Amino acid sequence: MNNSSSYGFEHLSECSSLDSTILTSTISIVSIVAFFGNTLVILTFLRSPTLKTSTNYFIVNMAISDLLSSSTNWPLYATEGVQYSKPAIDGSTAVFVCKLGLYFRAVSQAVSVQSLLLIVVDRYIAIVLPFKSILVTARLRTALQLFTWVFALSIASPYASSSQIIQENHQTFCRSFASWGKKEQFIFYVGGFAIFYCAPLISTIILYSRIMKCLRQTRPVEAEEEERIRMRNMQQNKTVMKVFVWIVSAFFICWTPLCVEIVLQKLFPSSRFTQDSCLIFVSLFFYIFPSLSTIVNPIILFAYSSRFSTALRNLFACLTCGPCLCCRDRRNVPNEQQLARIQAM
């Protein structure tokens, strides 16, 4: 797992109040926006039957993990003296928040990566192997979602046991694996980088290439009605894949700076690109950049998915216009045949 704030800068100077204010405000805003954005994704999914598709279940699974990460981002930052002469949270509370924060961030990252991989596998089966899609039952989907959490909660357990508050150069840090040897840390980080970054990224690229190749192929059809249905389904699949590409790109772009920094730190511990006296890079790479993906995901869904945007408008209309509109929305719930067609998309 590549998710720790163990940065050993030796030359620290007091940061200006402007640096402290900007970084603290940015982290606070990012955390709040991510929390409400992912909450809206979950609420719209729960309220709208048309969103109950196989792919959207995995998207919401990712939104839940992002919600967990955004909930612990600022409290975790507040335990450290990165921009404060004294942490906003200290004592035994800081130790608890430190362990919980690093643990849930690791869990969130693992669940998100697995969810992204399950999304592309689900689309691969639906588009490239459509006759196999019947095997992806609701029971299997639920089991896979449960597995993402069980596996993440298990693999991230070292963060809960090893994280602690330490003092270094008059600064306070929440660190993991401080008591581990360099060899153990190297194996853990490099292994996590390979399993939760390199392998999913390569797998996603390969499966996505096969999906797009299949979507570009033209198949002769005899009936005009069949051609219209095929073209409509193809357009819907392309829209879903467009949303997926944006989400995947945002996730890996936002996590890459932290992943690369930690791996380089373990491979070349004596080398530093710069003397980050105010630990600005720590704030950017560890707190801000990873959290940006949790903000971008809801924006992508509501901007590029017509179903999510419609469901969001209905949600706000229901909240502002009262129960009458809610009742009217319930009358528009698709029947079993319509819902079956939606699930197959």
Side-chain angles (χ1 to χ4, degrees):
M1 300 291 290
N2 41 14
N3 196 7
S4 173
S5 55
S6 303
Y7 294 80
F9 297 97
E10 297 178 354
H11 303 285
L12 299 174
S13 63
E14 184 178 356
C15 298
S16 67
S17 58
L18 180 61
D19 292 333
S20 175
T21 301
I22 292 175
L23 286 174
T24 303
S25 301
T26 301
I27 293 172
S28 301
I29 293 172
V30 166
S31 302
I32 293 172
V33 173
F35 179 86
F36 283 104
N38 286 283
T39 299
L40 287 176
V41 171
I42 297 170
L43 289 177
T44 54
F45 174 81
L46 293 175
R47 188 180 176 277
S48 178
T50 59
L51 294 180
K52 302 297 195 300
T53 66
S54 182
T55 299
N56 287 343
Y57 275 99
F58 297 127
I59 288 178
V60 171
N61 196 53
M62 186 175 178
I64 295 173
S65 71
D66 289 343
L67 184 65
L68 183 65
S69 177
S70 62
S71 301
T72 58
N73 192 45
W74 192 91
L76 180 61
Y77 174 77
T79 64
E80 299 195 298
V82 176
Q83 296 295 325
Y84 295 101
S85 57
K86 181 181 179 181
I89 301 176
D90 56 11
S92 58
T93 304
V95 176
F96 175 77
V97 173
C98 171
K99 291 180 177 291
L100 202 66
L102 288 179
Y103 177 64
F104 280 141
R105 278 175 62 94
V107 169
S108 174
Q109 183 189 2
V111 172
S112 296
V113 168
Q114 294 176 87
S115 298
L116 289 174
L117 196 55
L118 287 173
I119 291 171
V120 72
V121 170
D122 176 77
R123 288 295 85 200
Y124 179 83
I125 294 175
I127 297 172
V128 181
L129 305 172
F131 295 107
K132 299 289 186 180
S133 59
I134 192 174
L135 300 177
V136 185
T137 61
R139 180 175 296 181
L140 176 61
R141 185 177 59 239
T142 302
L144 290 172
Q145 289 177 284
L146 182 61
F147 173 80
T148 63
W149 286 95
V150 172
F151 180 70
L153 291 169
S154 302
I155 200 69
S157 58
Y159 284 94
S161 59
S162 67
S163 299
Q164 56 185 304
I165 298 293
I166 68 170
Q167 296 288 331
E168 183 177 287
N169 297 319
H170 307 291
Q171 292 280 327
T172 303
F173 295 96
C174 171
R175 288 189 172 179
S176 297
F177 318 121
S179 60
W180 286 24
K182 292 184 178 180
K183 183 179 180 180
E184 288 79 6
Q185 290 187 34
F186 178 82
I187 294 174
F188 186 82
Y189 281 118
V190 174
F193 179 72
I195 295 173
F196 290 98
Y197 187 90
C198 296
L201 181 59
I202 295 172
S203 301
T204 299
I205 293 174
I206 293 174
L207 291 176
Y208 174 76
S209 300
R210 294 289 305 275
I211 291 172
M212 297 312 296
K213 181 180 178 180
C214 182
L215 288 176
R216 294 190 188 101
Q217 292 177 349
T218 58
R219 301 183 181 90
V221 292
E222 297 180 359
E224 183 179 347
E225 180 64 24
E226 292 180 1
E227 174 66 11
R228 284 199 298 267
I229 295 175
R230 187 185 71 84
M231 293 301 295
R232 185 178 68 248
N233 291 338
M234 181 183 297
Q235 186 59 42
Q236 290 172 341
N237 285 324
K238 286 182 177 180
T239 301
V240 172
M241 293 309 301
K242 181 180 180 180
V243 172
F244 171 73
V245 168
W246 278 106
I247 292 176
V248 171
S249 300
F251 179 86
F252 283 102
I253 289 173
C254 292
W255 279 98
T256 294
L258 176 61
C259 295
V260 172
E261 158 63 14
I262 291 179
V263 171
L264 290 178
Q265 181 188 4
K266 300 306 174 184
L267 291 176
F268 309 101
S270 61
S271 174
R272 284 296 170 193
F273 304 117
T274 181
Q275 292 299 329
D276 186 18
S277 60
C278 286
L279 297 178
I280 294 176
F281 289 148
V282 175
S283 301
L284 289 175
F285 291 170
F286 184 71
Y287 290 106
I288 297 178
F289 284 170
S291 297
L292 287 178
S293 67
T294 65
I295 289 181
V296 173
N297 290 346
I299 295 175
I300 293 172
L301 287 174
F302 293 130
Y304 291 100
S305 174
S306 58
R307 288 177 181 169
F308 268 100
S309 60
T310 300
L312 180 64
R313 288 194 297 269
N314 291 338
L315 176 65
F316 281 126
C318 181
L319 294 176
T320 57
C321 298
C324 294
L325 185 58
C326 295
C327 295
R328 186 175 64 186
D329 289 342
R330 293 192 185 99
R331 290 196 296 269
N332 293 329
V333 172
N335 57 37
E336 294 183 1
Q337 293 180 347
Q338 293 172 327
L339 192 57
R341 287 197 297 270
I342 293 173
Q343 290 280 7
M345 295 178 184

